[in-house]
Amino acid sequence: MSSLRVVLASDNPGKLAEFSAILQPAGVEMLPQGQFGVTPVDEPHATFVENALRKARHASRQSGLPALADDSGLCVSALNDAPGVYSARYAALAGKEKSDAANNAHLLEQMAGISNRRARYVAVLVFVRSPDDPLPIIAQGEWHGEIAIAARGGNGFGYDPYFYIPELGKTVAELAPDQKNKLSHRGKALRVLLDSLASANPTAQS
Ligand code: IMP
């Protein structure tokens, strides 16, 4: 059975690993957009779905392949759902370095003295068969947890060392990759997307 080749509209190696782990067994070969020289695109919108659609169309246009984009982030209840769509740029928007470490340090600063630590990860996935696909497939997933006081664990990426799952008594960075994929916002969204793909005949061009 030949696999469906799809470009992933992201340069984040953490995301590529998580997508490939779930999609490869389903016959979908994920190819990083860097392999096709896809240029970075800005994410100007206030919603995850608009940013994901923009990234998917751009990657499909530049690669000539179907494309999958993920726009995801951390929404913290006590911060009115910040950093949200700005999760990757949270520290940079405050004039600091653009890195996971700086984002985490900035988050802890914003949470100082706040006892409501509730938060959720959200992921919105958009799949387009072609750049101007009139009927993109959209799926979303959420994962609820809390912001920890101190970092724990070395797996995952981004905010994972501080994203604590009370039922497990662990941060996400303490979970094995396959456990994260089973439970995560991205894993949930991907399984919804796979169901939709299976019933939508994705190889047919619009
Ligand atoms: P995007 O690449 O614009 O979608 O930004 C996603 C950002 O949200 C990442 O850079 C992380 O900061 C954060 N994020 C999304 N999903 C996760 C996750 O699974 N673990 C940790 N951080 C995440």
Side-chain angles (χ1 to χ4, degrees):
M1 193 181 75
S2 69
S3 62
L4 173 67
R5 297 176 81 232
V6 174
V7 63
L8 177 64
S10 172
D11 295 311
N12 182 330
K15 284 186 182 179
L16 180 65
E18 291 181 14
F19 280 119
S20 296
I22 295 177
L23 290 175
Q24 202 161 327
V28 180
E29 187 187 358
M30 291 310 302
L31 305 162
Q33 65 175 10
Q35 198 170 311
F36 302 91
V38 174
T39 53
V41 68
D42 59 347
E43 299 177 30
H45 301 295
T47 65
F48 292 102
V49 67
E50 287 171 292
N51 285 330
L53 182 58
R54 179 172 171 82
K55 289 189 274 190
R57 290 205 192 285
H58 176 77
S60 178
R61 184 163 290 115
Q62 292 203 344
S63 67
L65 286 175
L68 175 65
D70 153 300
D71 203 49
S72 51
L74 174 72
C75 297
V76 180
S77 301
L79 302 179
N80 295 320
D81 278 347
V85 291
Y86 306 106
S87 293
R89 296 168 268 166
Y90 194 33
L93 289 171
K96 300 172 185 169
E97 185 186 290
K98 187 173 192 281
S99 70
D100 287 344
N103 286 339
N104 281 319
H106 188 61
L107 174 66
L108 280 201
E109 253 174 64
Q110 302 304 304
M111 293 297 286
I114 297 179
S115 58
N116 172 8
R117 315 288 295 186
R118 274 185 296 133
R120 64 201 158 127
Y121 275 148
V122 301
V124 177
L125 308 185
V126 173
F127 175 84
V128 293
R129 304 158 186 83
S130 57
D132 297 316
D133 187 342
L135 201 58
I137 297 177
I138 299 172
Q140 62 188 66
E142 291 192 6
W143 196 11
H144 294 250
E146 295 172 6
I147 304 303
I149 305 284
R152 268 169 37 187
N155 293 333
F157 66 96
Y159 298 94
D160 285 348
Y162 288 93
F163 195 79
Y164 178 75
I165 309 297
E167 307 87 75
L168 302 176
K170 288 181 177 174
T171 69
V172 173
E174 293 180 292
L175 303 182
D178 61 333
Q179 202 179 0
K180 179 178 179 187
N181 288 337
K182 269 192 200 123
L183 302 170
S184 78
H185 50 317
R186 192 166 297 104
K188 287 173 193 153
L190 259 175
R191 284 184 284 276
V192 174
L193 188 90
L194 272 177
D195 282 350
S196 304
L197 273 172
S199 51
N201 185 15
T203 49
Q205 290 296 303
S206 50

